[in-house]
Amino acid sequence: MQRTQVGIIGCGPAGLMLSHLLSRQGIESVILERQTRDYVEARIRAGILEQGTVDLLRESGVGERMDREGLVHDGVNMAFANRLERIDFQARTGKAVMVYGQTEMTRDLIESRLAAGGEIKFSAPALAVEDFDTSHPRITYEEAGQRKELGCDFVAGCDGSHGVALQSVPEERITTFERVYPFGWLGILADVPPVDDELIYANHERGFALCSMRSPTRSRYYIQCALDDNVDNWSDDAFWDELRRRLPEQAADNVTTGPRLEMSIAPLRSFVAEPLRFGNLFLAGDAAHIVPPTGAKGLNLAVSDAYYLATALAAHINDDQGDLLDRYSDTCLRRVWAAIRFSWWYTILMHRFDDDPFSHRLQVAELDYLSRSEAAQTSMAENYVGLPFDATFA
Ligand code: APR
Ligand code: PHB
């Protein structure tokens, strides 16, 4: 049986970042990924990096292409009642966010791990985590049609939503919290210049819309849709028409249309599984929590979990200090719940719920307040650019 110090299930941002940060501390890991490398590197995901994520990528030596190709955004626009109001992140917090696709970040991390001699087994689905309450946990997995085992000192479940790591834990040891939203996001990716230099989040009576981007020539747009909607119901023209209807005039006039590179529908959900530690099995990223995409927090939480876990494992393995591992779950969950709260608040504020004129008036009143109050803008901005990592695990 192959052995490693940290067995990592999942080659998404959480697993990759964990493996990368551990290797910088001299700790060896093996990543098991059920998909092929091509699949993982082509997957279209979110694209906003918080300041803390950007700093961590840079400091740990994987920020070079991000700094070359990423777009620094100092603010964001909120559209409502035919108005367009800007929240200035720099003025309110002295920080910014970076537009850089998760797809690109994933590619950079895979390349860096492989160049550093790290091991990633692609097309190797984990089946279960065994013996995680002992000091010799094992991951059973499949490779080239064969059932194999990876012996580990520690296991990290970074296997995304509905992963096998969490499923390996008896139900009675897990507490879950969930909110399902009664709508989805219909997204389009197209090689057209973005409507604005910055993102626009729009609250409109026909439903939410978001104008985002991947580069000065590639745009990513979303519109709120019914949960039972289907991409087959949407021609490119129908999508562009609906997007324009939901934007204030000045922005709508600036929409450049083009053929889709991709179109998909994603449901919106908030979910947390607690705790994040079961003996020597640790959960990180989407494996333990899901946020609706409204706050752009999913990727950033995966990165901050990986940071906390790598820090705690290094303290234990290299300095014989186990207390950070003991505090991993609580420390992480504090930041997770802050992001769950923010993305829930932003989702409730910006979407159209079933015809409820009272709620809609409240939304407009809150957006109006946000546009006038520096205090309210500071609160929104500090959450959007990302709350600081708690390096002390206090
Ligand atoms: N065995 C091996 N790999 C697995 C298994 C399994 N049984 N199950 C899932 N995986 C892999 C998936 O194929 C995926 O590559 O685990 C990886 C999980 O990666 P992500 O879903 O990207 O999750 P995470 O790393 O936590 O990053 C969260 O990704 O889903 C987005 O919006 C989310 O931005 C957030 C980020
Ligand atoms: C994206 O660019 O895909 C994106 C941006 C901001 C969000 C969600 C998604 O809040």
Side-chain angles (χ1 to χ4, degrees), residues 202-276:
N203 173 313
H204 191 271
E205 57 191 14
R206 294 180 66 89
F208 169 78
L210 168 59
C211 306
S212 182
M213 66 192 75
R214 291 290 173 272
S215 73
T217 55
R218 182 168 287 186
S219 299
R220 180 74 166 152
Y221 295 107
Y222 300 93
I223 53 177
Q224 177 182 350
C225 66
L227 267 180
D228 60 359
D229 207 341
N230 191 306
V231 288
D232 299 336
N233 298 333
W234 291 86
S235 65
D236 290 353
D237 282 346
F239 183 94
W240 296 118
D241 286 346
E242 187 57 31
L243 175 70
R244 274 190 292 241
R245 278 191 207 110
R246 297 184 187 190
L247 299 176
E249 250 170 64
Q250 60 192 107
D253 290 346
N254 228 6
V255 171
T256 310
T257 64
R260 75 182 77 176
L261 298 172
E262 190 252 10
M263 190 186 263
S264 55
I265 292 182
L268 272 70
R269 179 164 85 107
S270 302
F271 172 82
V272 184
E274 297 184 1
L276 302 183

Side-chain angles (χ1 to χ4, degrees), residues 45-48 99 185 199 201 208 210-214 220 222 293-297 346 384:
R45 293 279 179 83
I48 305 290
V99 171
W185 278 17
L199 270 60
Y201 287 87
F208 169 78
L210 168 59
C211 306
S212 182
M213 66 192 75
R214 291 290 173 272
R220 180 74 166 152
Y222 300 93
T294 324
K297 293 286 164 236
Y346 204 23
Y384 197 93

